[in-house]
Amino acid sequence: MEQLEQKIIETAFKKIDTLSDDELEKLCENYVEIQPELLDYVISASIEYNNAQLEGLIIYYFCIFMEINSLRKTTKNRINNQEVIDFEEEFLEVIKDYFQNENLDVLEEYTDQPELVQFMIMEISTPDEDGTQLEDETAIQLFISCIAMIKLLN
């Protein structure tokens, strides 16, 4: 996938963020039909981490990433379970390397989407408009899940 510009990320974010709950649910259903295996894979993180809050957050960012692809008029073939299996070993090594060395360049190069990686850093580290912020554990889990989505969609 071609590297994204910040404008596309902001446009997708604003669209998703301004939808009503019903509109977001319908859009999400459409995106799930396009990439069900991807969503199944990343949603499994909420079960693995035993974090119910993470599930809703993953679905929200899944919709943002899918909307980005929609705005760019890019289509990714449906991700299948074998692609996820093939991806996972290298992904875990990259994540391990990132956390050991705290080198963001590793993730930016791995995903080939530095703007999206930077977007996610801001999302997990910046308090919401009402001042609430994710707990550190949830923020890290969300970040890892989103990096997986970015790479698989790339």
Side-chain angles (χ1 to χ4, degrees):
M1 180 190 301
E2 180 180 310
Q3 287 189 3
L4 295 172
E5 295 178 13
Q6 188 66 30
K7 180 181 176 185
I8 292 173
I9 297 168
E10 291 171 3
T11 301
F13 179 77
K14 285 177 185 171
K15 177 181 177 181
I16 298 299
D17 216 31
T18 58
L19 293 175
S20 70
D21 288 345
D22 289 340
E23 292 169 326
L24 183 57
E25 185 176 333
K26 288 177 186 174
L27 185 66
C28 185
E29 288 171 4
N30 290 337
Y31 288 151
V32 169
E33 287 180 25
I34 296 169
Q35 290 293 357
E37 286 82 4
L38 172 62
L39 185 60
D40 285 348
Y41 172 66
V42 291
I43 283 290
S44 70
S46 65
I47 297 165
E48 186 177 317
Y49 293 128
N50 194 26
N51 186 338
Q53 180 188 18
L54 185 60
E55 182 176 337
L57 291 166
I58 287 172
I59 292 170
Y60 176 77
Y61 286 100
F62 170 78
C63 289
I64 290 175
F65 297 148
M66 293 298 291
E67 182 63 23
I68 287 169
N69 283 349
S70 175
L71 290 170
R72 295 181 67 224
K73 309 271 192 265
T74 58
T75 56
K76 165 78 174 152
N77 291 336
R78 180 178 270 186
I79 294 166
N80 62 47
N81 288 329
Q82 187 59 51
E83 287 176 287
V84 170
I85 291 166
D86 294 345
F87 149 86
E88 198 161 32
E89 186 176 329
E90 179 183 38
F91 173 68
L92 294 175
E93 286 299 316
V94 169
I95 291 297
K96 180 180 173 185
D97 183 31
Y98 167 72
F99 282 108
Q100 284 178 343
N101 300 309
E102 296 183 18
N103 182 358
L104 194 56
D105 292 340
V106 169
L107 296 180
E108 290 176 351
E109 289 174 21
Y110 176 67
T111 62
D112 195 29
Q113 293 298 336
E115 293 290 335
L116 267 178
V117 173
Q118 290 294 326
F119 169 76
M120 284 311 305
I121 294 278
M122 292 300 295
E123 285 291 296
I124 65 168
S125 63
T126 306
D128 287 344
E129 291 175 359
D130 65 1
T132 59
Q133 190 163 354
L134 291 175
E135 293 180 16
D136 287 344
E137 190 172 300
T138 298
I140 290 168
Q141 294 165 354
L142 176 62
F143 184 68
I144 291 169
S145 299
C146 286
I147 294 299
M149 281 191 279
I150 292 167
K151 179 61 177 177
L152 284 165
L153 285 168
N154 200 22

